[in-house]
Amino acid sequence: MSDEQAVDGPGRIVRFPAGTTNVGFALFGIQTHEDARTESFLADMRRLFGGPAGPGKVERCHRHDSDSGHHTILMAYWTGARQARDFLASRPVASWWDALPVDDPGTGYWREVMTPRAGRFHYFGVGPHEVGITPLLGLQATDKFGYWGGYRDRMIDSATDDFASPLPELPEVRQVDSRGHRVAVTTPENLCFVREGADTSHVVEPKEQKLWDDLLKPASQKWISYLATSPHTSGCASIVDTVEQDLETGRDLRRASQFAYFLTLGHLEHAARTQPSHLALYNAFMGAATELAENGIAMGLFVWAEAHILRSGELSAEYVNCHPDTGLLPLFASAPSTVPGGVR
């Protein structure tokens, strides 16, 4: 759900401590048809996260795909780029990554590691709840929400940078199979990554739950479907819709996250302002908020978004033995990964 909804209640952004220059975020994923592989991956990652320079916050989600199998994804956050890079470069992590098999016909691994400048990152949430990097940085109120352009205005560097791409449009989709290989993807300047989420665990009124089930969730799914099937009109290079899980038990939560890459922030803004499916989502949200207010019900739905505008070198995307539709593989130039540990 785009942040451009006009909603009641205070919007919140993260508060950067003095001296913060970059943040770190990584998606570590496995795709497999064998549950035992997933359990081994999770055990390895949890062990590595507990080592030197491990992330300050880790979350978990998953999705199912008939072709590539069950995808389990770990989301890791650091409050600085150096910590994220030190983690990847540490001997245990680099050795584990380099030892992942490329000859397993049913299992692939991937990671996408981002280290954007603080001025090119934002988190925005409607409500007081903590998610993602917010427990590490803290929150503060903002009035930069409820209008078209809020995403951009909440990024400090937008005052001096238009975040334009050197590419006029997304490349044509290609078949780049990393099965049997380790592939590193090179992305263009100012690629925009977005994590957006919705949490219904705070919804207590049956009326609001029904509005979510019958109105808001279907409208959200139509917008996600549009982005997934229309890369050249939306500028969306990749989108993954997931259900979040309890980190320890794997139990499904009443929370969902979408991970999407856009050629630029401008492409996301244009699609959100003009695409009928997003306008329908906006209207559905506004209608639900109005109906709840008229019935004296405080909205329990918690929605949030974070965005990263990535300069060249601030995204390391690597795929080991993966299905050709995985992540950014189909769209951007790729080459065999030859750097030990995949660290650039």
Side-chain angles (χ1 to χ4, degrees), residues 97 109-111 183-185 316-320 337 341-344:
W97 180 257
Y109 304 86
W110 52 271
R111 70 185 189 192
V183 176
V185 171
S316 174
E318 304 195 14
Y319 306 87
V320 179
S337 178
V343 180
R344 283 167 176 71

Side-chain angles (χ1 to χ4, degrees), residues 125-143:
V126 180
H129 312 294
E130 292 187 330
V131 66
I133 203 170
T134 61
L136 307 181
L137 294 179
L139 293 169
Q140 62 185 13
T142 181
D143 59 359

Side-chain angles (χ1 to χ4, degrees), residues 26 30 56 76 171 197 202 226 292 331 339:
I30 181 173
H202 310 284
Y226 163 73
L292 292 174
L331 284 170
V339 182

Side-chain angles (χ1 to χ4, degrees), residues 162-184:
D162 63 2
F163 307 138
S165 175
L167 301 181
E169 60 184 16
L170 284 174
E172 292 297 321
V173 173
R174 306 170 300 140
Q175 285 290 308
V176 179
D177 200 338
S178 80
R179 287 170 172 155
H181 304 283
R182 297 169 171 271
V183 176

